[in-house]
Amino acid sequence: MPTAYFGTLAYTVVPGDSLYTIAHKYNSTIANILKFNSISNPNRIFPGQKIIIPLSPPEAIIYTVKFGDTLYGIARRYGTSIKNLIQFNYLVKPFIIYPGQQLVVTASLK
């Protein structure tokens, strides 16, 4: 678990929900919801299912990785650190990011 922890929200899936709509609604990411709940298939959520949503800090930005992006480049662009990107997004070595992936971006911790 990362050292930067901003809380969680218990959520019950309702008909019509997708991980995308849930993540968007609560300023989280699909990747973090999947990891936090040990869900292996993002297309297999169902009404009535209870999930935990890891919450991002209020000043966070959700950034969608583009082809050619690097953690260094994203950190530099948003004035944060690679360490924060790793912590806020529960990334594990080898810290690979891919186009379309959503990352929580926030200012450096003091």
Side-chain angles (χ1 to χ4, degrees):
M1 204 40 93
T3 56
Y5 181 72
F6 298 98
T8 60
L9 172 72
Y11 181 80
T12 302
V13 177
V14 297
D17 272 345
S18 70
L19 287 180
Y20 173 81
T21 59
I22 296 168
H24 183 72
K25 180 176 181 179
Y26 292 102
N27 195 31
S28 189
T29 66
I30 294 169
N32 287 346
I33 294 171
L34 290 173
K35 288 177 189 175
F36 214 84
N37 292 279
S38 299
I39 298 172
S40 58
N41 184 343
N43 298 316
R44 298 282 304 189
I45 62 169
F46 53 89
Q49 180 179 0
K50 296 187 184 324
I51 60 174
I52 302 298
I53 302 169
L55 300 175
S56 302
E59 69 279 3
I61 296 168
I62 304 299
Y63 175 77
T64 302
V65 176
K66 295 172 184 54
F67 182 78
D69 277 341
T70 63
L71 288 176
Y72 173 79
I74 296 167
R76 187 169 174 196
R77 183 178 313 137
Y78 288 94
T80 191
S81 68
I82 294 171
K83 178 182 176 184
N84 282 352
L85 290 175
I86 291 167
Q87 288 179 333
F88 293 134
N89 294 284
Y90 307 100
L91 300 176
V92 294
K93 287 186 179 180
F95 309 127
I96 296 171
I97 60 173
Y98 52 89
Q101 180 179 3
Q102 294 178 318
L103 297 176
V104 175
V105 180
T106 190
S108 293
L109 296 174
K110 302 294 182 211

PDB file of all heavy atoms in Angstrom, residues 19-20 22-24 26-35 53-54 56 61-63 88-90 101-104:
ATOM      1  N   LEU A  19     -16.982   0.188 -14.731  1.00  0.00           N
ATOM      2  CA  LEU A  19     -15.864   0.696 -13.945  1.00  0.00           C
ATOM      3  C   LEU A  19     -15.475   2.091 -14.410  1.00  0.00           C
ATOM      4  O   LEU A  19     -15.069   2.928 -13.609  1.00  0.00           O
ATOM      5  CB  LEU A  19     -14.669  -0.257 -14.000  1.00  0.00           C
ATOM      6  CG  LEU A  19     -14.861  -1.538 -13.195  1.00  0.00           C
ATOM      7  CD1 LEU A  19     -13.627  -2.421 -13.315  1.00  0.00           C
ATOM      8  CD2 LEU A  19     -15.151  -1.243 -11.736  1.00  0.00           C
ATOM      9  N   TYR A  20     -15.642   2.351 -15.697  1.00  0.00           N
ATOM     10  CA  TYR A  20     -15.333   3.692 -16.206  1.00  0.00           C
ATOM     11  C   TYR A  20     -16.233   4.735 -15.549  1.00  0.00           C
ATOM     12  O   TYR A  20     -15.752   5.767 -15.063  1.00  0.00           O
ATOM     13  CB  TYR A  20     -15.479   3.748 -17.729  1.00  0.00           C
ATOM     14  CG  TYR A  20     -15.323   5.161 -18.251  1.00  0.00           C
ATOM     15  CD1 TYR A  20     -14.061   5.704 -18.436  1.00  0.00           C
ATOM     16  CD2 TYR A  20     -16.440   5.950 -18.506  1.00  0.00           C
ATOM     17  CE1 TYR A  20     -13.901   7.012 -18.882  1.00  0.00           C
ATOM     18  CE2 TYR A  20     -16.295   7.255 -18.947  1.00  0.00           C
ATOM     19  CZ  TYR A  20     -15.029   7.779 -19.136  1.00  0.00           C
ATOM     20  OH  TYR A  20     -14.872   9.077 -19.555  1.00  0.00           O
ATOM     21  N   ILE A  22     -17.959   4.563 -12.775  1.00  0.00           N
ATOM     22  CA  ILE A  22     -17.705   4.638 -11.334  1.00  0.00           C
ATOM     23  C   ILE A  22     -16.417   5.419 -11.067  1.00  0.00           C
ATOM     24  O   ILE A  22     -16.390   6.316 -10.224  1.00  0.00           O
ATOM     25  CB  ILE A  22     -17.631   3.226 -10.713  1.00  0.00           C
ATOM     26  CG1 ILE A  22     -18.981   2.518 -10.837  1.00  0.00           C
ATOM     27  CG2 ILE A  22     -17.182   3.304  -9.258  1.00  0.00           C
ATOM     28  CD1 ILE A  22     -18.934   1.032 -10.523  1.00  0.00           C
ATOM     29  N   ALA A  23     -15.354   5.095 -11.790  1.00  0.00           N
ATOM     30  CA  ALA A  23     -14.075   5.788 -11.604  1.00  0.00           C
ATOM     31  C   ALA A  23     -14.225   7.273 -11.896  1.00  0.00           C
ATOM     32  O   ALA A  23     -13.732   8.123 -11.145  1.00  0.00           O
ATOM     33  CB  ALA A  23     -13.000   5.167 -12.490  1.00  0.00           C
ATOM     34  N   HIS A  24     -14.909   7.599 -12.980  1.00  0.00           N
ATOM     35  CA  HIS A  24     -15.108   8.994 -13.356  1.00  0.00           C
ATOM     36  C   HIS A  24     -15.922   9.745 -12.298  1.00  0.00           C
ATOM     37  O   HIS A  24     -15.588  10.872 -11.917  1.00  0.00           O
ATOM     38  CB  HIS A  24     -15.794   9.071 -14.718  1.00  0.00           C
ATOM     39  CG  HIS A  24     -15.985  10.459 -15.223  1.00  0.00           C
ATOM     40  ND1 HIS A  24     -14.943  11.220 -15.680  1.00  0.00           N
ATOM     41  CD2 HIS A  24     -17.091  11.219 -15.322  1.00  0.00           C
ATOM     42  CE1 HIS A  24     -15.402  12.403 -16.036  1.00  0.00           C
ATOM     43  NE2 HIS A  24     -16.715  12.431 -15.832  1.00  0.00           N
ATOM     44  N   TYR A  26     -16.150   9.238  -9.128  1.00  0.00           N
ATOM     45  CA  TYR A  26     -15.476   9.424  -7.844  1.00  0.00           C
ATOM     46  C   TYR A  26     -14.011   9.866  -7.986  1.00  0.00           C
ATOM     47  O   TYR A  26     -13.237   9.752  -7.042  1.00  0.00           O
ATOM     48  CB  TYR A  26     -15.578   8.140  -7.016  1.00  0.00           C
ATOM     49  CG  TYR A  26     -17.003   7.885  -6.593  1.00  0.00           C
ATOM     50  CD1 TYR A  26     -17.781   6.943  -7.242  1.00  0.00           C
ATOM     51  CD2 TYR A  26     -17.574   8.642  -5.576  1.00  0.00           C
ATOM     52  CE1 TYR A  26     -19.101   6.735  -6.870  1.00  0.00           C
ATOM     53  CE2 TYR A  26     -18.896   8.440  -5.204  1.00  0.00           C
ATOM     54  CZ  TYR A  26     -19.648   7.483  -5.855  1.00  0.00           C
ATOM     55  OH  TYR A  26     -20.961   7.283  -5.488  1.00  0.00           O
ATOM     56  N   ASN A  27     -13.643  10.397  -9.170  1.00  0.00           N
ATOM     57  CA  ASN A  27     -12.288  10.900  -9.397  1.00  0.00           C
ATOM     58  C   ASN A  27     -11.239   9.849  -9.030  1.00  0.00           C
ATOM     59  O   ASN A  27     -10.252  10.131  -8.360  1.00  0.00           O
ATOM     60  CB  ASN A  27     -12.044  12.203  -8.619  1.00  0.00           C
ATOM     61  CG  ASN A  27     -10.810  12.930  -9.114  1.00  0.00           C
ATOM     62  OD1 ASN A  27     -10.459  12.851 -10.284  1.00  0.00           O
ATOM     63  ND2 ASN A  27     -10.144  13.640  -8.223  1.00  0.00           N
ATOM     64  N   SER A  28     -11.480   8.631  -9.471  1.00  0.00           N
ATOM     65  CA  SER A  28     -10.547   7.536  -9.262  1.00  0.00           C
ATOM     66  C   SER A  28     -10.117   7.030 -10.632  1.00  0.00           C
ATOM     67  O   SER A  28     -10.359   7.701 -11.636  1.00  0.00           O
ATOM     68  CB  SER A  28     -11.216   6.424  -8.444  1.00  0.00           C
ATOM     69  OG  SER A  28     -10.280   5.455  -8.043  1.00  0.00           O
ATOM     70  N   THR A  29      -9.475   5.888 -10.676  1.00  0.00           N
ATOM     71  CA  THR A  29      -9.109   5.282 -11.953  1.00  0.00           C
ATOM     72  C   THR A  29      -9.569   3.828 -11.981  1.00  0.00           C
ATOM     73  O   THR A  29      -9.697   3.188 -10.929  1.00  0.00           O
ATOM     74  CB  THR A  29      -7.586   5.321 -12.210  1.00  0.00           C
ATOM     75  OG1 THR A  29      -6.926   4.483 -11.258  1.00  0.00           O
ATOM     76  CG2 THR A  29      -7.038   6.734 -12.142  1.00  0.00           C
ATOM     77  N   ILE A  30      -9.792   3.327 -13.174  1.00  0.00           N
ATOM     78  CA  ILE A  30     -10.176   1.921 -13.336  1.00  0.00           C
ATOM     79  C   ILE A  30      -9.088   1.024 -12.779  1.00  0.00           C
ATOM     80  O   ILE A  30      -9.365   0.075 -12.047  1.00  0.00           O
ATOM     81  CB  ILE A  30     -10.457   1.601 -14.824  1.00  0.00           C
ATOM     82  CG1 ILE A  30     -11.688   2.367 -15.298  1.00  0.00           C
ATOM     83  CG2 ILE A  30     -10.642   0.101 -15.024  1.00  0.00           C
ATOM     84  CD1 ILE A  30     -11.900   2.323 -16.808  1.00  0.00           C
ATOM     85  N   ALA A  31      -7.839   1.343 -13.104  1.00  0.00           N
ATOM     86  CA  ALA A  31      -6.708   0.512 -12.648  1.00  0.00           C
ATOM     87  C   ALA A  31      -6.672   0.420 -11.130  1.00  0.00           C
ATOM     88  O   ALA A  31      -6.465  -0.665 -10.572  1.00  0.00           O
ATOM     89  CB  ALA A  31      -5.400   1.066 -13.185  1.00  0.00           C
ATOM     90  N   ASN A  32      -6.878   1.530 -10.444  1.00  0.00           N
ATOM     91  CA  ASN A  32      -6.840   1.499  -8.984  1.00  0.00           C
ATOM     92  C   ASN A  32      -8.010   0.727  -8.398  1.00  0.00           C
ATOM     93  O   ASN A  32      -7.849   0.003  -7.417  1.00  0.00           O
ATOM     94  CB  ASN A  32      -6.791   2.916  -8.419  1.00  0.00           C
ATOM     95  CG  ASN A  32      -5.440   3.553  -8.619  1.00  0.00           C
ATOM     96  OD1 ASN A  32      -4.462   2.884  -8.934  1.00  0.00           O
ATOM     97  ND2 ASN A  32      -5.373   4.846  -8.458  1.00  0.00           N
ATOM     98  N   ILE A  33      -9.190   0.857  -8.988  1.00  0.00           N
ATOM     99  CA  ILE A  33     -10.344   0.087  -8.503  1.00  0.00           C
ATOM    100  C   ILE A  33     -10.089  -1.406  -8.704  1.00  0.00           C
ATOM    101  O   ILE A  33     -10.345  -2.218  -7.817  1.00  0.00           O
ATOM    102  CB  ILE A  33     -11.649   0.537  -9.190  1.00  0.00           C
ATOM    103  CG1 ILE A  33     -11.990   1.976  -8.781  1.00  0.00           C
ATOM    104  CG2 ILE A  33     -12.799  -0.410  -8.832  1.00  0.00           C
ATOM    105  CD1 ILE A  33     -13.139   2.593  -9.552  1.00  0.00           C
ATOM    106  N   LEU A  34      -9.569  -1.777  -9.870  1.00  0.00           N
ATOM    107  CA  LEU A  34      -9.266  -3.191 -10.141  1.00  0.00           C
ATOM    108  C   LEU A  34      -8.275  -3.732  -9.123  1.00  0.00           C
ATOM    109  O   LEU A  34      -8.478  -4.796  -8.534  1.00  0.00           O
ATOM    110  CB  LEU A  34      -8.700  -3.357 -11.554  1.00  0.00           C
ATOM    111  CG  LEU A  34      -9.656  -3.143 -12.712  1.00  0.00           C
ATOM    112  CD1 LEU A  34      -8.903  -3.162 -14.034  1.00  0.00           C
ATOM    113  CD2 LEU A  34     -10.763  -4.183 -12.703  1.00  0.00           C
ATOM    114  N   LYS A  35      -7.173  -3.006  -8.926  1.00  0.00           N
ATOM    115  CA  LYS A  35      -6.138  -3.471  -7.994  1.00  0.00           C
ATOM    116  C   LYS A  35      -6.651  -3.524  -6.563  1.00  0.00           C
ATOM    117  O   LYS A  35      -6.382  -4.475  -5.841  1.00  0.00           O
ATOM    118  CB  LYS A  35      -4.916  -2.549  -8.064  1.00  0.00           C
ATOM    119  CG  LYS A  35      -4.131  -2.705  -9.330  1.00  0.00           C
ATOM    120  CD  LYS A  35      -2.982  -1.728  -9.366  1.00  0.00           C
ATOM    121  CE  LYS A  35      -2.329  -1.741 -10.736  1.00  0.00           C
ATOM    122  NZ  LYS A  35      -1.277  -0.731 -10.859  1.00  0.00           N
ATOM    123  N   ILE A  53     -13.705   1.869  -3.439  1.00  0.00           N
ATOM    124  CA  ILE A  53     -13.132   2.831  -4.375  1.00  0.00           C
ATOM    125  C   ILE A  53     -12.050   3.620  -3.656  1.00  0.00           C
ATOM    126  O   ILE A  53     -12.342   4.318  -2.678  1.00  0.00           O
ATOM    127  CB  ILE A  53     -14.206   3.786  -4.920  1.00  0.00           C
ATOM    128  CG1 ILE A  53     -15.308   2.989  -5.601  1.00  0.00           C
ATOM    129  CG2 ILE A  53     -13.591   4.814  -5.870  1.00  0.00           C
ATOM    130  CD1 ILE A  53     -16.532   3.787  -5.946  1.00  0.00           C
ATOM    131  N   PRO A  54     -10.779   3.486  -4.102  1.00  0.00           N
ATOM    132  CA  PRO A  54      -9.725   4.313  -3.514  1.00  0.00           C
ATOM    133  C   PRO A  54      -9.891   5.751  -3.990  1.00  0.00           C
ATOM    134  O   PRO A  54     -10.046   6.002  -5.181  1.00  0.00           O
ATOM    135  CB  PRO A  54      -8.435   3.685  -4.038  1.00  0.00           C
ATOM    136  CG  PRO A  54      -8.830   2.945  -5.253  1.00  0.00           C
ATOM    137  CD  PRO A  54     -10.282   2.586  -5.119  1.00  0.00           C
ATOM    138  N   SER A  56      -8.923   9.682  -4.641  1.00  0.00           N
ATOM    139  CA  SER A  56      -7.801  10.549  -4.969  1.00  0.00           C
ATOM    140  C   SER A  56      -7.915  11.822  -4.142  1.00  0.00           C
ATOM    141  O   SER A  56      -9.006  12.212  -3.744  1.00  0.00           O
ATOM    142  CB  SER A  56      -7.832  10.920  -6.445  1.00  0.00           C
ATOM    143  OG  SER A  56      -7.788   9.765  -7.237  1.00  0.00           O
ATOM    144  N   ILE A  61      -5.550  15.393 -10.528  1.00  0.00           N
ATOM    145  CA  ILE A  61      -5.975  15.396 -11.926  1.00  0.00           C
ATOM    146  C   ILE A  61      -5.892  13.957 -12.396  1.00  0.00           C
ATOM    147  O   ILE A  61      -4.961  13.237 -12.047  1.00  0.00           O
ATOM    148  CB  ILE A  61      -5.015  16.259 -12.777  1.00  0.00           C
ATOM    149  CG1 ILE A  61      -5.086  17.718 -12.333  1.00  0.00           C
ATOM    150  CG2 ILE A  61      -5.296  16.104 -14.260  1.00  0.00           C
ATOM    151  CD1 ILE A  61      -3.976  18.568 -12.902  1.00  0.00           C
ATOM    152  N   ILE A  62      -6.858  13.519 -13.167  1.00  0.00           N
ATOM    153  CA  ILE A  62      -6.770  12.198 -13.795  1.00  0.00           C
ATOM    154  C   ILE A  62      -6.236  12.429 -15.198  1.00  0.00           C
ATOM    155  O   ILE A  62      -6.854  13.107 -16.013  1.00  0.00           O
ATOM    156  CB  ILE A  62      -8.142  11.493 -13.840  1.00  0.00           C
ATOM    157  CG1 ILE A  62      -8.752  11.377 -12.443  1.00  0.00           C
ATOM    158  CG2 ILE A  62      -8.007  10.127 -14.507  1.00  0.00           C
ATOM    159  CD1 ILE A  62      -7.942  10.573 -11.455  1.00  0.00           C
ATOM    160  N   TYR A  63      -5.058  11.868 -15.471  1.00  0.00           N
ATOM    161  CA  TYR A  63      -4.380  12.057 -16.750  1.00  0.00           C
ATOM    162  C   TYR A  63      -4.424  10.750 -17.529  1.00  0.00           C
ATOM    163  O   TYR A  63      -4.138   9.687 -16.979  1.00  0.00           O
ATOM    164  CB  TYR A  63      -2.921  12.477 -16.522  1.00  0.00           C
ATOM    165  CG  TYR A  63      -2.130  12.580 -17.801  1.00  0.00           C
ATOM    166  CD1 TYR A  63      -2.291  13.678 -18.641  1.00  0.00           C
ATOM    167  CD2 TYR A  63      -1.246  11.580 -18.180  1.00  0.00           C
ATOM    168  CE1 TYR A  63      -1.582  13.776 -19.828  1.00  0.00           C
ATOM    169  CE2 TYR A  63      -0.536  11.673 -19.363  1.00  0.00           C
ATOM    170  CZ  TYR A  63      -0.701  12.773 -20.181  1.00  0.00           C
ATOM    171  OH  TYR A  63      -0.007  12.867 -21.361  1.00  0.00           O
ATOM    172  N   PHE A  88       0.575   7.187  -5.847  1.00  0.00           N
ATOM    173  CA  PHE A  88      -0.845   7.482  -6.032  1.00  0.00           C
ATOM    174  C   PHE A  88      -1.527   6.501  -6.975  1.00  0.00           C
ATOM    175  O   PHE A  88      -2.744   6.388  -6.969  1.00  0.00           O
ATOM    176  CB  PHE A  88      -1.053   8.898  -6.554  1.00  0.00           C
ATOM    177  CG  PHE A  88      -0.668   9.969  -5.569  1.00  0.00           C
ATOM    178  CD1 PHE A  88       0.090  11.044  -5.966  1.00  0.00           C
ATOM    179  CD2 PHE A  88      -1.054   9.893  -4.243  1.00  0.00           C
ATOM    180  CE1 PHE A  88       0.447  12.031  -5.067  1.00  0.00           C
ATOM    181  CE2 PHE A  88      -0.702  10.869  -3.329  1.00  0.00           C
ATOM    182  CZ  PHE A  88       0.052  11.945  -3.745  1.00  0.00           C
ATOM    183  N   ASN A  89      -0.742   5.806  -7.796  1.00  0.00           N
ATOM    184  CA  ASN A  89      -1.315   4.901  -8.789  1.00  0.00           C
ATOM    185  C   ASN A  89      -1.021   3.442  -8.512  1.00  0.00           C
ATOM    186  O   ASN A  89      -1.275   2.590  -9.342  1.00  0.00           O
ATOM    187  CB  ASN A  89      -0.837   5.308 -10.189  1.00  0.00           C
ATOM    188  CG  ASN A  89      -1.395   6.649 -10.562  1.00  0.00           C
ATOM    189  OD1 ASN A  89      -2.565   6.756 -10.898  1.00  0.00           O
ATOM    190  ND2 ASN A  89      -0.586   7.693 -10.457  1.00  0.00           N
ATOM    191  N   TYR A  90      -0.496   3.161  -7.330  1.00  0.00           N
ATOM    192  CA  TYR A  90      -0.217   1.786  -6.912  1.00  0.00           C
ATOM    193  C   TYR A  90       0.609   1.037  -7.951  1.00  0.00           C
ATOM    194  O   TYR A  90       0.367  -0.137  -8.226  1.00  0.00           O
ATOM    195  CB  TYR A  90      -1.518   1.020  -6.625  1.00  0.00           C
ATOM    196  CG  TYR A  90      -2.429   1.728  -5.664  1.00  0.00           C
ATOM    197  CD1 TYR A  90      -3.512   2.465  -6.127  1.00  0.00           C
ATOM    198  CD2 TYR A  90      -2.201   1.692  -4.304  1.00  0.00           C
ATOM    199  CE1 TYR A  90      -4.341   3.144  -5.246  1.00  0.00           C
ATOM    200  CE2 TYR A  90      -3.028   2.365  -3.420  1.00  0.00           C
ATOM    201  CZ  TYR A  90      -4.096   3.084  -3.898  1.00  0.00           C
ATOM    202  OH  TYR A  90      -4.919   3.753  -3.031  1.00  0.00           O
ATOM    203  N   GLN A 101      -4.019   4.354 -20.368  1.00  0.00           N
ATOM    204  CA  GLN A 101      -4.027   4.165 -18.921  1.00  0.00           C
ATOM    205  C   GLN A 101      -4.318   5.501 -18.236  1.00  0.00           C
ATOM    206  O   GLN A 101      -3.845   6.541 -18.657  1.00  0.00           O
ATOM    207  CB  GLN A 101      -2.672   3.632 -18.462  1.00  0.00           C
ATOM    208  CG  GLN A 101      -2.550   3.397 -16.982  1.00  0.00           C
ATOM    209  CD  GLN A 101      -1.184   2.840 -16.611  1.00  0.00           C
ATOM    210  OE1 GLN A 101      -0.309   2.674 -17.459  1.00  0.00           O
ATOM    211  NE2 GLN A 101      -0.992   2.539 -15.349  1.00  0.00           N
ATOM    212  N   GLN A 102      -5.114   5.469 -17.181  1.00  0.00           N
ATOM    213  CA  GLN A 102      -5.419   6.679 -16.425  1.00  0.00           C
ATOM    214  C   GLN A 102      -4.547   6.727 -15.186  1.00  0.00           C
ATOM    215  O   GLN A 102      -4.443   5.734 -14.448  1.00  0.00           O
ATOM    216  CB  GLN A 102      -6.889   6.703 -16.035  1.00  0.00           C
ATOM    217  CG  GLN A 102      -7.816   6.813 -17.209  1.00  0.00           C
ATOM    218  CD  GLN A 102      -9.273   6.787 -16.791  1.00  0.00           C
ATOM    219  OE1 GLN A 102      -9.672   6.016 -15.934  1.00  0.00           O
ATOM    220  NE2 GLN A 102     -10.062   7.644 -17.408  1.00  0.00           N
ATOM    221  N   LEU A 103      -3.927   7.879 -14.952  1.00  0.00           N
ATOM    222  CA  LEU A 103      -3.062   8.069 -13.782  1.00  0.00           C
ATOM    223  C   LEU A 103      -3.573   9.221 -12.937  1.00  0.00           C
ATOM    224  O   LEU A 103      -4.030  10.243 -13.472  1.00  0.00           O
ATOM    225  CB  LEU A 103      -1.631   8.377 -14.223  1.00  0.00           C
ATOM    226  CG  LEU A 103      -0.883   7.304 -15.001  1.00  0.00           C
ATOM    227  CD1 LEU A 103       0.483   7.836 -15.426  1.00  0.00           C
ATOM    228  CD2 LEU A 103      -0.728   6.038 -14.183  1.00  0.00           C
ATOM    229  N   VAL A 104      -3.475   9.073 -11.633  1.00  0.00           N
ATOM    230  CA  VAL A 104      -3.760  10.168 -10.713  1.00  0.00           C
ATOM    231  C   VAL A 104      -2.501  11.030 -10.649  1.00  0.00           C
ATOM    232  O   VAL A 104      -1.411  10.521 -10.394  1.00  0.00           O
ATOM    233  CB  VAL A 104      -4.102   9.651  -9.310  1.00  0.00           C
ATOM    234  CG1 VAL A 104      -4.270  10.806  -8.322  1.00  0.00           C
ATOM    235  CG2 VAL A 104      -5.349   8.785  -9.342  1.00  0.00           C
TER     236      VAL A 104
END
